[in-house]
Amino acid sequence: MQKIAVYQPKVSRKAYGFKIISTIIFYISLLLLTFSDFLNAQFELEKRTVVRLGETSGMTVSFVILVTSALLIDRDFRRLLLGKTGIFYVAVVIFYTLMGWRIFGNDIPWIRMDLLTFLWPIGGLALFRIIVQSYRPKVQLMALIAVPTLYIYYAISLQAERMNVLSTAGLTARIIDNSAYHYSGLLLPLTGIALGVLCRQGWLLRILILGLVAIHLYSLGFIGATRSIVLCILTVLVFSSFGLSYTISEGVLTSKSSLRKPKQFTYLLLIVSIFILSITVFVEFQQMFISFFQNSLIFDRFFDSQNYNSQRNSELRIEEAIDGIKYFQDILEIVFGKGLGSTFPSILGYEINAFHIGVLTFLLKGGIIMFSCVVFTLYIKLPLLFIKSVVKPHRLDYLKRTALLTVLPGVFGWAVLLLLSGGYSPFNFLGVGFAFGTYSHIRKHGLGIFFE
């Protein structure tokens, strides 16, 4: 029997009241974050409200509610925000805001959009702390994943229906809804965390979370035929499997493989047996499925070297990156960037504030300094820590190792997205802030809160 150390704030009438209030705040914030998109999804893309995602009033109000509430009712949020890390981050954001405004004279609407994007990690941290204080945190975590996932399917399905290609979506017609991709970026860190904790709590939660991942993958990977989404989700699943392969005791991951346990080994044998049976008994169905997949657009985009659209999209992103880098005029801009609100003329004929190869956006905003910090952290430091957690588990504190193996798979999904397509939006940064809050909590308390 696994022993789980359940983290609970001091139980009192006041604390219980905070739990109820926090739960209400969470659902109000979630409604504000998603309501306008659910409403706009019912209309044609060109008929939707012409408001940039980062400037929507719903997101702004939600941010204010979350941060204000967390400041008032959560001590750990105040400690993190007013600690060295929080003060340093806010100072950096203020510095690059002033640089973009006073030195480079960037337009105020673009500055406001970038500022909200860079502030949303604080909102994501506040959102996690509100969930910690809420009643049954794992229910709120599931809701936070379920609502964006259902929106993605809802928006993509409505768009396919409007185009009268519902039956051939993903086969002959690629369905795209830009708002769905923002939610996809949010889901990557959340999915990694949920896989690490909810998949340990019975078959019902496993089926629910894996079902939501399947809907996400089907909606944007198959119907949307988006290669980057497929690769990002697979990245999260693969790295999450490392953490799930270890047993849990007293709220932390041990160095013992769960596959050695008779019960887990029985489950594995059952799954393998079903898989082999499906191959031998349902050969015709399997061949039909393979044929169906091979005729899909996502298969062509991955494996057809003659696919013009795929090649052209890749070429355009490279050309955009080259043109954007050429836009730097002197060494000062290269080193420090052009601050928040900086834009450049896209090869598509209009101003944009972020590269499709998203990691280069940090070069545009913060120069070599910010770009180097992001690249070193995401692609060198964190992978090395993850490898150390797996290869040399006894070299790390158990709580820290548990936090790394639980949170990093989702962060790696975002890191892959930054290299391939996008990753720079308020929703993406919300997910990053949520991941940081989760890491900080597990690093101190373990996984217990998700087992309440």
Side-chain angles (χ1 to χ4, degrees), residues 336-437:
F336 292 99
K338 297 186 176 185
L340 301 193
S342 53
T343 61
F344 64 94
S346 169
I347 58 176
L348 300 176
Y350 51 84
E351 289 284 314
I352 58 176
N353 74 326
F355 288 91
H356 280 83
I357 301 177
V359 71
L360 294 176
T361 304
F362 297 102
L363 183 64
L364 175 68
K365 311 295 178 183
I368 291 293
I369 296 175
M370 184 186 292
F371 177 76
S372 300
C373 291
V374 171
V375 170
F376 174 77
T377 301
L378 285 181
Y379 304 106
I380 299 177
K381 182 178 180 179
L382 295 184
L384 287 177
L385 281 173
F386 190 88
I387 293 172
K388 186 176 181 181
S389 299
V390 175
V391 177
K392 298 180 179 179
H394 298 293
R395 295 286 185 90
L396 291 173
D397 174 77
Y398 275 106
L399 285 169
K400 181 177 181 179
R401 179 172 174 269
T402 300
L404 290 171
L405 290 176
T406 303
V407 174
L408 287 188
V411 175
F412 291 157
W414 178 61
V416 171
L417 184 64
L418 281 173
L419 291 176
L420 299 177
S421 179
Y424 179 84
S425 75
F427 276 126
N428 283 278
F429 279 53
L430 189 165
V432 173
F434 191 93
F436 174 74

Side-chain angles (χ1 to χ4, degrees), residues 273-286:
S273 300
I274 293 174
F275 179 72
I276 295 174
L277 185 65
S278 67
I279 292 176
T280 56
V281 176
F282 301 106
V283 175
E284 292 185 2
F285 173 78
Q286 185 194 30

Side-chain angles (χ1 to χ4, degrees), residues 26-27 128 131 134 136-148 187 189-191 193-198 201 209 212 434 438 450:
F26 167 78
Y27 285 105
F128 175 78
I131 288 179
S134 68
R136 289 293 185 91
K138 65 182 178 184
V139 176
Q140 277 63 260
L141 177 60
M142 180 64 76
L144 187 58
I145 296 173
V147 172
L187 284 172
L190 301 181
T191 299
I193 295 166
L195 289 172
V197 295
L198 299 182
Q201 302 189 50
I209 187 61
L212 291 172
F434 191 93
T438 307
F450 295 108

